[in-house]
Coordinates of all heavy atoms in Angstrom, one line a residue:
M1 N -33.0 42.9 15.2 CA -33.1 41.8 16.2 C -31.8 41.0 16.4 O -31.3 40.6 15.4 CB -34.3 40.9 15.9 CG -35.4 40.9 16.9 SD -36.8 39.9 16.4 CE -36.0 38.2 16.6
T2 N -31.4 41.0 17.6 CA -30.1 40.2 17.9 C -30.6 38.9 18.6 O -31.3 39.0 19.5 CB -29.2 41.1 18.8 OG1 -29.3 42.4 18.4 CG2 -27.9 40.5 18.8
P3 N -29.9 37.8 18.1 CA -30.2 36.5 18.8 C -29.6 36.7 20.1 O -28.6 37.3 20.4 CB -29.6 35.5 17.9 CG -28.6 36.2 17.0 CD -29.1 37.7 16.9
P4 N -30.0 35.8 21.1 CA -29.3 35.8 22.4 C -27.8 35.4 22.3 O -27.5 34.5 21.4 CB -30.0 34.7 23.2 CG -31.1 34.2 22.2 CD -31.0 34.8 21.0
V5 N -27.0 36.0 23.0 CA -25.6 35.8 22.8 C -25.4 34.4 23.5 O -25.6 34.2 24.7 CB -24.7 36.8 23.6 CG1 -23.3 36.4 23.6 CG2 -25.0 38.2 23.0
D6 N -24.8 33.5 22.7 CA -24.6 32.2 23.2 C -23.1 31.9 23.1 O -22.5 31.4 22.1 CB -25.4 31.2 22.5 CG -25.1 29.7 23.1 OD1 -24.4 29.6 24.0 OD2 -25.8 28.8 22.5
D7 N -22.3 32.2 24.1 CA -20.9 32.1 24.0 C -20.5 30.7 24.7 O -19.4 30.5 25.2 CB -20.1 33.2 24.6 CG -20.5 33.3 26.1 OD1 -21.4 32.7 26.6 OD2 -19.8 34.2 26.8
F8 N -21.5 29.9 24.8 CA -21.3 28.6 25.5 C -21.7 27.5 24.5 O -22.8 26.9 24.7 CB -22.2 28.5 26.8 CG -21.5 27.7 27.9 CD1 -21.1 28.3 29.0 CD2 -21.4 26.4 27.7 CE1 -20.5 27.5 30.0 CE2 -20.8 25.6 28.7 CZ -20.4 26.2 29.9
P9 N -20.9 27.2 23.6 CA -21.2 26.2 22.6 C -21.6 24.8 23.2 O -21.0 24.5 24.3 CB -19.9 26.0 21.6 CG -19.2 27.2 22.1 CD -19.5 27.6 23.4
C10 N -22.5 24.1 22.5 CA -22.9 22.8 23.1 C -21.8 21.8 23.3 O -21.9 21.0 24.2 CB -24.0 22.3 22.2 SG -25.5 23.3 22.1
N11 N -20.8 21.8 22.5 CA -19.8 20.8 22.7 C -18.9 21.2 23.9 O -18.5 20.2 24.6 CB -18.8 20.7 21.5 CG -18.2 22.0 21.0 OD1 -18.4 22.9 21.6 ND2 -17.4 21.9 19.9
E12 N -18.8 22.4 24.2 CA -18.1 22.8 25.5 C -19.0 22.5 26.6 O -18.5 22.0 27.7 CB -17.9 24.3 25.4 CG -17.0 24.8 26.4 CD -16.8 26.3 26.5 OE1 -17.3 27.0 25.6 OE2 -16.4 26.9 27.5
F13 N -20.3 22.6 26.5 CA -21.2 22.1 27.6 C -21.0 20.7 28.0 O -20.9 20.3 29.1 CB -22.7 22.4 27.2 CG -23.6 21.7 28.2 CD1 -23.9 22.5 29.4 CD2 -24.1 20.5 28.1 CE1 -24.8 21.9 30.3 CE2 -25.0 19.9 28.9 CZ -25.3 20.7 30.1
V14 N -21.0 19.9 26.9 CA -20.9 18.4 27.1 C -19.5 18.1 27.9 O -19.5 17.1 28.7 CB -21.0 17.6 25.9 CG1 -20.7 16.1 26.0 CG2 -22.4 17.7 25.2
E15 N -18.5 18.9 27.6 CA -17.3 18.6 28.3 C -17.3 19.1 29.7 O -16.7 18.5 30.6 CB -16.1 19.3 27.5 CG -15.7 18.6 26.3 CD -14.7 19.5 25.4 OE1 -14.2 20.3 26.0 OE2 -14.6 19.2 24.2
L16 N -18.1 20.1 29.9 CA -18.1 20.7 31.3 C -19.2 20.2 32.1 O -19.1 20.4 33.4 CB -18.2 22.2 31.1 CG -17.1 23.0 30.5 CD1 -17.5 24.4 30.3 CD2 -15.9 22.8 31.4
V17 N -20.1 19.4 31.6 CA -21.2 19.0 32.4 C -20.8 18.1 33.6 O -21.4 18.2 34.8 CB -22.4 18.3 31.6 CG1 -21.9 17.1 31.0 CG2 -23.6 18.1 32.4
T18 N -19.8 17.4 33.4 CA -19.3 16.5 34.5 C -18.6 17.3 35.5 O -18.9 16.9 36.8 CB -18.3 15.4 33.9 OG1 -17.3 16.0 33.1 CG2 -19.1 14.4 33.0
D19 N -17.9 18.3 35.3 CA -17.4 19.2 36.3 C -18.6 19.8 37.1 O -18.4 20.0 38.3 CB -16.6 20.2 35.6 CG -15.1 19.8 35.2 OD1 -14.8 18.6 35.6 OD2 -14.4 20.5 34.5
Y20 N -19.5 20.2 36.4 CA -20.7 20.8 36.9 C -21.3 19.9 38.0 O -21.6 20.3 39.1 CB -21.7 21.2 35.8 CG -22.9 22.0 36.4 CD1 -22.9 23.2 36.9 CD2 -24.1 21.3 36.2 CE1 -24.1 23.8 37.4 CE2 -25.4 21.9 36.6 CZ -25.2 23.1 37.2 OH -26.5 23.7 37.7
L21 N -21.6 18.7 37.6 CA -22.1 17.7 38.4 C -21.3 17.3 39.6 O -21.7 16.9 40.7 CB -22.6 16.5 37.6 CG -23.7 16.8 36.7 CD1 -24.0 15.5 35.7 CD2 -25.0 17.0 37.4
D22 N -20.0 17.4 39.4 CA -19.0 17.0 40.4 C -18.8 18.2 41.4 O -18.2 18.0 42.5 CB -17.6 16.7 39.8 CG -17.5 15.3 39.3 OD1 -18.4 14.5 39.6 OD2 -16.5 15.0 38.6
G23 N -19.4 19.3 41.0 CA -19.2 20.5 41.9 C -17.8 21.0 41.7 O -17.3 21.8 42.6
A24 N -17.1 20.6 40.7 CA -15.8 21.1 40.5 C -15.6 22.4 39.6 O -14.6 22.7 39.3 CB -15.0 19.9 39.7
M25 N -16.8 22.9 39.2 CA -16.7 24.1 38.4 C -16.7 25.3 39.2 O -17.6 25.5 40.1 CB -18.0 23.9 37.5 CG -18.1 25.1 36.5 SD -19.5 24.8 35.5 CE -18.9 23.6 34.4
P26 N -16.0 26.4 38.8 CA -16.0 27.6 39.5 C -17.4 28.3 39.4 O -18.1 28.1 38.3 CB -15.0 28.5 38.9 CG -14.1 27.6 38.0 CD -14.9 26.4 37.8
P27 N -17.9 29.0 40.4 CA -19.2 29.5 40.4 C -19.5 30.3 39.1 O -20.7 30.3 38.6 CB -19.3 30.4 41.6 CG -18.3 29.8 42.6 CD -17.3 29.2 41.7
T28 N -18.6 31.2 38.7 CA -18.8 31.9 37.4 C -19.1 31.1 36.2 O -19.9 31.3 35.3 CB -17.7 32.9 37.2 OG1 -16.4 32.1 37.1 CG2 -17.6 34.0 38.2
E29 N -18.3 30.0 36.1 CA -18.6 29.0 35.0 C -19.9 28.3 35.2 O -20.6 28.2 34.2 CB -17.4 28.0 35.1 CG -16.1 28.4 34.4 CD -16.3 28.7 33.0 OE1 -16.4 27.7 32.3 OE2 -16.1 29.8 32.5
A30 N -20.2 27.9 36.4 CA -21.5 27.3 36.6 C -22.6 28.2 36.2 O -23.7 27.7 35.6 CB -21.6 26.9 38.0
R31 N -22.5 29.5 36.4 CA -23.5 30.4 36.1 C -23.7 30.6 34.5 O -24.9 30.6 34.0 CB -23.1 31.9 36.7 CG -24.0 33.0 36.4 CD -25.3 32.9 37.1 NE -26.4 33.7 36.5 CZ -26.5 34.9 36.8 NH1 -25.8 35.5 37.7 NH2 -27.5 35.6 36.2
R32 N -22.6 30.6 33.8 CA -22.7 30.6 32.4 C -23.3 29.4 31.9 O -24.1 29.4 31.0 CB -21.2 30.6 31.8 CG -20.5 32.0 31.8 CD -19.1 31.8 31.2 NE -19.2 31.5 29.9 CZ -18.2 30.7 29.2 NH1 -17.3 30.0 29.9 NH2 -18.3 30.5 27.9
L33 N -22.9 28.2 32.5 CA -23.5 27.0 32.1 C -25.1 27.0 32.3 O -25.9 26.5 31.4 CB -22.9 25.8 32.9 CG -23.2 24.4 32.4 CD1 -21.9 23.5 32.6 CD2 -24.4 23.9 33.2
E34 N -25.5 27.5 33.4 CA -26.9 27.5 33.7 C -27.7 28.5 32.7 O -28.8 28.2 32.4 CB -27.1 28.0 35.2 CG -27.0 26.8 36.1 CD -26.7 27.2 37.5 OE1 -26.7 28.4 37.9 OE2 -26.3 26.3 38.4
E35 N -27.0 29.6 32.4 CA -27.6 30.5 31.4 C -27.8 29.8 30.1 O -28.8 30.1 29.4 CB -26.7 31.8 31.3 CG -26.9 32.7 32.4 CD -25.9 33.9 32.4 OE1 -25.1 34.0 31.5 OE2 -26.0 34.6 33.4
H36 N -26.8 28.9 29.7 CA -26.8 28.2 28.4 C -28.0 27.3 28.5 O -28.8 27.1 27.6 CB -25.6 27.6 28.1 CG -25.6 26.8 26.9 ND1 -25.6 27.4 25.6 CD2 -25.7 25.5 26.6 CE1 -25.7 26.5 24.6 NE2 -25.9 25.2 25.3
L37 N -28.1 26.5 29.7 CA -29.2 25.6 29.8 C -30.6 26.2 29.6 O -31.5 25.6 29.1 CB -29.2 25.0 31.2 CG -28.0 23.9 31.5 CD1 -28.0 23.6 33.0 CD2 -28.2 22.7 30.6
A38 N -30.7 27.5 30.0 CA -32.0 28.1 30.0 C -32.5 28.4 28.5 O -33.7 28.4 28.3 CB -31.9 29.4 30.7
I39 N -31.5 28.4 27.6 CA -31.8 28.6 26.1 C -31.7 27.4 25.2 O -32.0 27.5 24.2 CB -31.1 29.8 25.7 CG1 -29.6 29.6 25.7 CG2 -31.5 31.1 26.4 CD1 -28.8 30.6 24.8
C40 N -31.1 26.3 25.8 CA -30.7 25.2 25.0 C -31.3 23.9 25.4 O -30.8 23.3 26.5 CB -29.1 25.1 24.9 SG -28.6 23.8 23.7
G41 N -32.4 23.5 24.9 CA -33.0 22.3 25.3 C -32.3 21.0 25.1 O -32.3 20.1 25.8
G42 N -31.3 21.0 24.0 CA -30.4 19.8 23.8 C -29.5 19.6 25.1 O -29.3 18.5 25.5
C43 N -28.9 20.7 25.5 CA -28.0 20.5 26.7 C -28.7 20.2 27.9 O -28.3 19.4 28.8 CB -27.1 21.8 26.8 SG -25.9 22.0 25.6
R44 N -30.0 20.8 28.1 CA -30.8 20.4 29.2 C -31.1 18.9 29.2 O -31.0 18.2 30.3 CB -32.1 21.2 29.2 CG -32.2 22.4 30.0 CD -33.6 22.8 30.4 NE -34.5 22.9 29.3 CZ -34.6 24.0 28.5 NH1 -33.8 25.0 28.6 NH2 -35.6 24.0 27.5
S45 N -31.3 18.3 28.1 CA -31.7 16.9 28.1 C -30.3 16.1 28.4 O -30.4 15.1 29.0 CB -32.3 16.4 26.8 OG -31.4 16.5 25.7
V46 N -29.2 16.5 27.9 CA -27.9 15.9 28.3 C -27.7 15.8 29.8 O -27.4 14.9 30.4 CB -26.8 16.5 27.5 CG1 -25.4 15.9 28.1 CG2 -26.9 16.2 26.0
L47 N -27.9 17.1 30.4 CA -27.8 17.2 31.8 C -28.8 16.3 32.5 O -28.4 15.7 33.5 CB -28.1 18.6 32.3 CG -28.0 18.9 33.8 CD1 -26.6 18.7 34.2 CD2 -28.4 20.4 34.1
E48 N -30.0 16.2 32.1 CA -31.1 15.4 32.7 C -30.7 13.9 32.6 O -30.9 13.2 33.6 CB -32.4 15.6 32.1 CG -33.0 16.8 32.5 CD -34.2 17.3 31.7 OE1 -34.7 16.5 30.8 OE2 -34.6 18.5 31.8
Q49 N -30.1 13.5 31.5 CA -29.6 12.1 31.3 C -28.5 11.8 32.4 O -28.5 10.8 33.0 CB -29.1 11.8 29.9 CG -30.2 12.0 28.8 CD -31.3 10.8 28.9 OE1 -31.0 9.9 29.6 NE2 -32.4 11.2 28.3
F50 N -27.6 12.7 32.4 CA -26.5 12.6 33.4 C -27.1 12.4 34.8 O -26.7 11.5 35.7 CB -25.5 13.7 33.4 CG -24.3 13.5 32.6 CD1 -24.3 13.9 31.2 CD2 -23.2 12.8 33.1 CE1 -23.2 13.6 30.4 CE2 -22.1 12.6 32.4 CZ -22.1 13.0 31.0
Q51 N -28.0 13.3 35.2 CA -28.6 13.4 36.5 C -29.3 12.1 36.8 O -29.4 11.5 37.9 CB -29.5 14.6 36.8 CG -28.6 15.9 36.8 CD -29.4 17.1 36.9 OE1 -30.5 17.2 36.3 NE2 -29.1 18.1 37.6
A52 N -30.1 11.6 35.7 CA -30.8 10.4 35.9 C -29.9 9.1 36.2 O -30.2 8.3 37.0 CB -31.6 10.1 34.7
V53 N -28.9 9.1 35.4 CA -27.9 8.0 35.7 C -27.3 8.0 37.0 O -27.2 7.0 37.7 CB -26.8 8.0 34.5 CG1 -25.7 7.0 34.9 CG2 -27.3 7.7 33.2
I54 N -26.9 9.2 37.5 CA -26.3 9.3 38.8 C -27.3 9.0 39.9 O -27.0 8.3 40.9 CB -25.7 10.8 38.9 CG1 -24.5 10.9 38.0 CG2 -25.3 11.0 40.4 CD1 -24.1 12.3 37.9
R55 N -28.5 9.4 39.7 CA -29.6 9.2 40.7 C -29.9 7.7 40.8 O -30.1 7.2 41.8 CB -30.8 10.0 40.2 CG -31.9 10.2 41.4 CD -32.9 11.2 41.1 NE -33.4 11.1 39.8 CZ -33.4 12.0 38.7 NH1 -32.9 13.1 39.0 NH2 -34.0 11.9 37.6
L56 N -29.9 7.0 39.7 CA -30.2 5.6 39.6 C -29.1 4.8 40.2 O -29.4 3.8 40.8 CB -30.6 5.1 38.2 CG -31.9 5.7 37.7 CD1 -32.1 5.3 36.2 CD2 -33.1 5.0 38.4
S57 N -27.9 5.1 39.9 CA -26.8 4.2 40.2 C -25.9 4.7 41.3 O -25.1 3.9 41.8 CB -26.0 4.1 39.0 OG -25.4 5.3 38.6
G58 N -26.1 6.0 41.6 CA -25.2 6.6 42.7 C -23.8 7.0 42.0 O -23.1 7.8 42.7
R59 N -23.6 6.5 40.9 CA -22.4 6.9 40.2 C -22.6 6.6 38.7 O -23.4 5.7 38.4 CB -21.2 6.2 40.8 CG -21.2 4.8 40.5 CD -20.1 4.0 41.4 NE -20.4 2.6 41.2 CZ -20.0 1.8 40.2 NH1 -19.3 2.4 39.2 NH2 -20.3 0.5 40.2
L60 N -21.8 7.2 37.8 CA -21.8 6.8 36.4 C -21.0 5.5 36.2 O -19.9 5.3 36.6 CB -21.3 7.9 35.6 CG -22.2 9.1 35.3 CD1 -21.4 10.2 34.7 CD2 -23.4 8.7 34.4
S61 N -21.6 4.6 35.4 CA -20.8 3.5 34.9 C -21.0 3.4 33.4 O -22.0 3.9 33.0 CB -21.1 2.2 35.6 OG -22.3 1.7 35.1
E62 N -20.1 2.8 32.7 CA -20.3 2.6 31.3 C -21.6 1.9 30.9 O -22.3 2.2 30.0 CB -19.1 1.9 30.7 CG -18.9 2.3 29.2 CD -17.4 2.3 28.9 OE1 -16.6 2.3 29.7 OE2 -17.2 2.3 27.7
A63 N -22.0 0.9 31.7 CA -23.2 0.1 31.5 C -24.4 1.0 31.6 O -25.4 0.9 30.8 CB -23.3 -0.9 32.4
D64 N -24.4 1.9 32.5 CA -25.5 2.9 32.7 C -25.7 3.8 31.4 O -26.8 4.0 31.0 CB -25.3 3.8 33.9 CG -25.4 3.0 35.2 OD1 -26.1 2.0 35.3 OD2 -24.7 3.4 36.1
V65 N -24.6 4.2 30.9 CA -24.6 5.0 29.8 C -25.1 4.3 28.6 O -25.9 4.9 27.8 CB -23.3 5.7 29.5 CG1 -23.3 6.6 28.2 CG2 -22.8 6.6 30.7
D66 N -24.8 3.0 28.5 CA -25.2 2.2 27.4 C -26.7 2.1 27.4 O -27.4 1.8 26.4 CB -24.7 0.8 27.5 CG -23.3 0.7 27.0 OD1 -22.8 1.7 26.3 OD2 -22.5 -0.2 27.2
A67 N -27.4 2.2 28.6 CA -28.8 2.0 28.7 C -29.6 3.2 28.3 O -30.8 3.2 28.2 CB -29.2 1.6 30.2
L68 N -28.9 4.3 28.1 CA -29.6 5.6 27.6 C -30.2 5.4 26.2 O -29.7 4.5 25.5 CB -28.6 6.7 27.6 CG -28.0 7.1 29.0 CD1 -26.9 8.2 28.8 CD2 -29.1 7.7 29.8
P69 N -31.3 6.2 25.9 CA -31.8 6.2 24.6 C -30.7 6.5 23.6 O -29.8 7.4 23.9 CB -32.9 7.2 24.6 CG -33.1 7.5 26.0 CD -31.9 7.1 26.8
P70 N -30.6 5.9 22.3 CA -29.6 6.2 21.4 C -29.3 7.7 21.1 O -28.2 8.0 21.0 CB -30.1 5.5 20.1 CG -31.0 4.4 20.6 CD -31.6 5.0 21.9
A71 N -30.3 8.5 21.0 CA -30.1 9.9 20.7 C -29.4 10.6 21.8 O -28.5 11.6 21.6 CB -31.5 10.6 20.5
A72 N -29.5 10.1 23.0 CA -28.8 10.7 24.1 C -27.5 10.1 24.3 O -26.6 10.8 25.1 CB -29.8 10.6 25.4
R73 N -27.3 9.0 23.9 CA -26.1 8.3 24.3 C -24.8 8.8 23.7 O -23.8 8.9 24.5 CB -26.2 6.8 23.7 CG -25.2 5.8 24.3 CD -25.4 4.5 23.7 NE -26.8 4.0 24.0 CZ -27.4 3.2 23.2 NH1 -26.8 2.5 22.2 NH2 -28.6 2.7 23.5
E74 N -24.8 9.3 22.5 CA -23.5 9.8 21.9 C -22.8 10.9 22.7 O -21.7 10.8 23.1 CB -23.7 10.2 20.5 CG -23.5 9.1 19.4 CD -22.2 8.2 19.8 OE1 -21.1 8.9 19.7 OE2 -22.3 7.1 20.0
P75 N -23.5 12.0 22.9 CA -22.8 13.2 23.7 C -22.5 12.7 25.1 O -21.5 13.1 25.6 CB -23.8 14.2 23.5 CG -25.2 13.6 23.2 CD -24.8 12.5 22.4
V76 N -23.4 11.9 25.6 CA -23.1 11.5 27.1 C -22.0 10.6 27.1 O -21.1 10.7 28.0 CB -24.4 10.9 27.6 CG1 -24.1 10.3 29.0 CG2 -25.6 11.8 27.7
M77 N -21.9 9.6 26.1 CA -20.9 8.7 26.1 C -19.5 9.4 25.9 O -18.5 9.1 26.6 CB -21.1 7.8 24.9 CG -20.4 6.4 25.0 SD -20.9 5.6 26.5 CE -19.4 4.7 26.9
A78 N -19.5 10.4 25.0 CA -18.2 11.1 24.8 C -17.8 11.8 26.1 O -16.6 11.8 26.5 CB -18.4 12.1 23.6
A79 N -18.7 12.5 26.8 CA -18.4 13.2 28.0 C -18.0 12.1 29.1 O -17.1 12.4 29.9 CB -19.6 14.0 28.4
F80 N -18.7 11.1 29.1 CA -18.5 10.0 30.1 C -17.1 9.5 30.0 O -16.3 9.3 31.0 CB -19.5 8.9 30.0 CG -19.0 7.7 30.9 CD1 -19.4 7.8 32.3 CD2 -18.5 6.6 30.4 CE1 -18.9 6.7 33.1 CE2 -18.2 5.6 31.2 CZ -18.4 5.6 32.5
R81 N -16.7 9.2 28.8 CA -15.3 8.7 28.5 C -14.2 9.7 29.1 O -13.2 9.2 29.8 CB -15.0 8.4 27.0 CG -15.7 7.2 26.6 CD -15.0 6.7 25.2 NE -16.0 5.8 24.7 CZ -16.9 6.3 23.6 NH1 -16.8 7.5 23.2 NH2 -17.7 5.4 23.0
E82 N -14.4 10.9 28.9 CA -13.5 12.0 29.3 C -13.5 12.0 30.8 O -12.5 12.1 31.4 CB -13.8 13.3 28.6 CG -12.6 14.0 28.0 CD -13.1 15.2 27.2 OE1 -13.3 16.2 27.8 OE2 -13.4 15.0 26.0
W83 N -14.7 12.0 31.3 CA -14.9 12.0 32.8 C -14.2 10.9 33.5 O -13.6 11.0 34.5 CB -16.4 12.1 33.1 CG -16.8 12.2 34.5 CD1 -16.7 13.4 35.3 CD2 -17.3 11.1 35.3 NE1 -17.2 13.0 36.6 CE2 -17.5 11.7 36.6 CE3 -17.6 9.8 35.1 CZ2 -18.2 10.9 37.6 CZ3 -18.2 9.0 36.1 CH2 -18.5 9.6 37.4
A84 N -14.5 9.7 32.9 CA -13.9 8.4 33.5 C -12.3 8.5 33.4 O -11.6 8.2 34.4 CB -14.4 7.2 32.9
A85 N -11.8 9.0 32.3 CA -10.4 9.0 32.1 C -9.8 10.0 33.1 O -8.7 9.8 33.6 CB -10.1 9.4 30.6
D86 N -10.5 11.1 33.3 CA -10.0 12.2 34.2 C -10.0 11.6 35.6 O -9.1 11.9 36.5 CB -10.9 13.4 34.1 CG -10.4 14.6 34.8 OD1 -9.2 14.9 34.7 OD2 -11.2 15.2 35.6
R87 N -11.0 10.8 36.0 CA -11.1 10.2 37.3 C -10.0 9.4 37.5 O -9.4 9.3 38.6 CB -12.4 9.5 37.4 CG -13.6 10.2 37.7 CD -13.7 10.5 39.2 NE -14.6 11.6 39.4 CZ -15.8 11.5 40.2 NH1 -16.1 10.3 40.6 NH2 -16.4 12.5 40.4
R88 N -9.6 8.5 36.6 CA -8.5 7.5 36.7 C -7.2 8.2 36.9 O -6.4 7.6 37.5 CB -8.6 6.6 35.5 CG -9.6 5.4 35.6 CD -9.3 4.3 34.6 NE -9.4 4.8 33.1 CZ -10.6 4.8 32.5 NH1 -11.7 4.4 33.1 NH2 -10.7 5.2 31.3
S89 N -7.1 9.4 36.2 CA -5.7 10.0 36.3 C -5.6 10.8 37.5 O -4.5 11.3 37.8 CB -5.6 10.9 35.0 OG -6.4 12.0 35.2
R90 N -6.5 10.9 38.4 CA -6.4 11.7 39.6 C -5.8 10.9 40.7 O -5.9 9.7 40.7 CB -7.8 12.1 40.1 CG -8.1 13.5 39.7 CD -9.5 13.9 40.1 NE -10.2 14.7 39.1 CZ -11.5 15.0 39.2 NH1 -12.2 14.6 40.1 NH2 -12.0 15.7 38.2
Ligands
ZN101 ZN1 -26.4 23.7 24.0

């Protein structure tokens, strides 16, 4: 028995989820990400947290991320910091 090939580590997902939500990801990458989401509940919940924050606020802010449940906050916060830094540098 071979486990499903997962060449999309969760830490990579957290870094890429913001590109995915920004629509800044190439379609082939988005496809890989969606395939990973299908098998990884942890990353699905991170994505859902991001989507919930964006839906509620129209945009991500640090205060919104602070309001997330503690278990969801760490990976989201790390990705958010990178996302915000990237935004500022554009
Ligand atoms: Zn994952």
